[in-house]
Amino acid sequence: MKPTRQNTLYLTIKQVFFDEIIAGTKTKEYREIKNTTYKKYLERDEDGFPYYDQTKVEAENPLLGDLCIWNNGVYPYVAKNNLEFLSLAVGYRKQRDTAIVEVNDITFEPITNDDGKPCRFSDDFKGNVKGDENGDFCFWYAVFHLGEVVGVHRN
């Protein structure tokens, strides 16, 4: 399979992480799932809502549809199934290092705090959001498991 616009996700990255990926010492790339970015990482229906795996949720979870659902520590949404490559570029300058890297898998992990605990929170839907280790919500990463470096262009 070759990289195309349909199967390749473009990401900017810092030079230090780019160099680690090229050297093979960094085998995962993490991206926070946000309202502004989830469409890059998750399969969606025609209305733009993310698909979920029914085997990963309780039947009538009222929070299903929220990107930050805790769901007992299991992210229920489905990763884009067409992403086979990452196109990495260092920063935003016109002249920059770039690379194409295979994606072997996409998984999801909760973002953790300095103590290694998931960043969970509560929301009463009246404007009161607070950190809560037993909260129904959590911030999540899409984790790209990297394979072979297909090509590198250094500037």
Side-chain angles (χ1 to χ4, degrees), residues 84-139:
E84 298 185 33
F85 300 93
L86 294 182
S87 174
L88 303 175
V90 177
Y92 295 94
R93 295 182 332 270
K94 189 172 185 175
Q95 298 295 320
R96 58 190 169 174
D97 292 349
T98 61
I100 302 291
V101 181
E102 287 182 335
V103 174
N104 289 336
D105 195 14
I106 303 170
T107 59
F108 303 99
E109 293 180 13
I111 295 175
T112 57
N113 62 23
D114 292 339
D115 297 330
K117 295 180 181 175
C119 291
R120 292 176 66 182
F121 60 97
S122 296
D123 185 347
D124 67 1
F125 302 101
K126 297 177 185 172
N128 299 310
V129 177
K130 65 176 184 170
D132 178 354
E133 66 182 34
N134 297 310
D136 290 328
F137 300 95
C138 180
F139 294 111

Side-chain angles (χ1 to χ4, degrees), residues 9-152:
L9 177 64
Y10 172 82
L11 298 174
T12 56
I13 192 168
K14 292 182 178 182
Q15 185 75 54
V16 63
F17 300 129
F18 179 90
D19 293 340
E20 290 174 356
I21 290 169
I22 300 309
T25 57
K26 184 176 189 328
T27 60
K28 296 178 185 177
E29 179 60 20
Y30 295 81
R31 295 296 161 135
E32 184 177 350
I33 299 171
K34 305 177 190 177
N35 285 334
T36 56
T37 61
Y38 77 93
K39 293 177 182 180
K40 295 179 183 181
Y41 316 131
L42 302 177
E43 286 292 334
R44 298 171 286 125
D45 65 18
E46 56 278 350
D47 295 322
F49 295 108
Y51 285 122
Y52 63 93
D53 181 339
Q54 293 180 354
T55 65
K56 295 181 178 180
V57 293
E58 300 166 6
E60 295 297 322
N61 190 325
L63 301 177
L64 194 59
D66 192 300
L67 295 174
C68 294
I69 187 172
W70 171 242
N71 194 46
N72 296 318
V74 177
Y75 203 62
Y77 303 110
V78 178
K80 277 203 166 182
N81 60 16
N82 67 322
L83 294 179
E84 298 185 33
F85 300 93
L86 294 182
S87 174
L88 303 175
V90 177
Y92 295 94
R93 295 182 332 270
K94 189 172 185 175
Q95 298 295 320
R96 58 190 169 174
D97 292 349
T98 61
I100 302 291
V101 181
E102 287 182 335
V103 174
N104 289 336
D105 195 14
I106 303 170
T107 59
F108 303 99
E109 293 180 13
I111 295 175
T112 57
N113 62 23
D114 292 339
D115 297 330
K117 295 180 181 175
C119 291
R120 292 176 66 182
F121 60 97
S122 296
D123 185 347
D124 67 1
F125 302 101
K126 297 177 185 172
N128 299 310
V129 177
K130 65 176 184 170
D132 178 354
E133 66 182 34
N134 297 310
D136 290 328
F137 300 95
C138 180
F139 294 111
W140 291 89
Y141 282 126
V143 182
F144 297 90
H145 300 261
L146 306 177
E148 181 182 337
V149 176
V150 177
V152 178

